[in-house]
Amino acid sequence: MRKRAGPRRPTQVEIAQRAGVSQATVSLVLNGGPGVPVAEETRRRVQQAIEDLGYAVNPAARALRGMTVKTIGLYTFESVFPVDQRDFYHPFLLGVEEEAARLGYDLLLFTSANTAHGGVYARGRNALLKADGCVLLGRHISRDDLANLAKEGFPFVFIGRRDIEGTELSYVAPDYVTPTAALVEELVALGHRRILLLRQIDGAEPGDDRELGLRQGAQAAGLSPDDLVVEFSSGAEDIGTDRVTGWVRAGITAVVVEPSEDNASGLALAEVAEAADLRIPDHLSVAFLGSAPPPTATRIWTSFEIPRVEIGRAAVQLLVNLLEGAEQPPLQLVVPCTDVRGNSISRVVRR
């Protein structure tokens, strides 16, 4: 038996057809409030169509009746609540909370982690309609959810670059390309001629950006594409002695690592290298293309820091710009990262 779909937010086209007006008129009423140049009778027809089609569950519809809501949501595709200061997501959440408070918006937290099927539409309708708009984040996303939200016209900003075929999304993302390219150029200047990129198996667009930076940096430094190696890791369990020593035997002198949230692959690489008597950076230079493991008494990892608090703040700023009609989607912002100078890379000593 076919499952009956739950209520969903209608599109502006459906509202316009119901009210007998243009989509532009619906947009004026929805975004402009009572002061926009729309005839009162036309406004009433649009509002009635909104009510008839079930749009009243959206805070935007309540705002049309004079009730200012000013609530933004924060939705995660992973189980990130509660978090502590050591958690990868904590700085993002801190930035979102601080900026929402500064701009006078309440913050409503959503999560799909404990639902049976997960996802924004797990219960047959858009669960985010309790908020005016939403900041979304998470590594393991539902691309269908993002596409459906964009199709509905629901205002959201994603933390991280995501590409959906046929749809442009609003997002704030770290610039992985520029610092990766700069790091590769530095490695080549230090004499490295065989460089390996260790990607996360589910790295998606962030991994693509790092690989693009790898190739741009190599080209700028005059390194042959044949001297670049790209491999994938699913975690610490697939970083073994044979794999790491095999890199060295193949002439690889530098490994650049796409970090995961817990940096398991990078930490396993360091442990395996030490056990195999491959000293970092004497025998193998290692750098992290993003936030590295914490420094120790003897090791500061060469890396670059993702400005996670600032990205959280910027995501709220973009979302509020959308909600208040200052700009139209998509809004896309790439934020520079900060170099971390460590002692895990060095000049190649030719024997």
Side-chain angles (χ1 to χ4, degrees), residues 115-138:
T115 59
H117 304 290
V120 173
Y121 297 89
R123 296 180 176 88
R125 63 180 179 85
N126 180 356
L128 308 182
L129 290 174
K130 299 179 182 71
D132 295 301
C134 207
V135 173
L136 293 86
L137 78 161

Side-chain angles (χ1 to χ4, degrees), residues 139 196-203 230-240 243 247 255-260 262-269:
R139 192 177 187 95
L196 182 141
L197 167 62
L198 187 63
R199 287 190 56 171
Q200 298 300 313
I201 202 163
D202 60 347
V230 179
E231 293 189 11
F232 290 82
S233 171
S234 59
E237 63 278 359
D238 62 16
I239 306 296
R243 188 177 188 183
W247 294 340
V255 178
V256 290
V257 181
E258 177 188 5
S260 60
D262 58 4
N263 270 313
S265 298
L267 290 171
L269 167 58

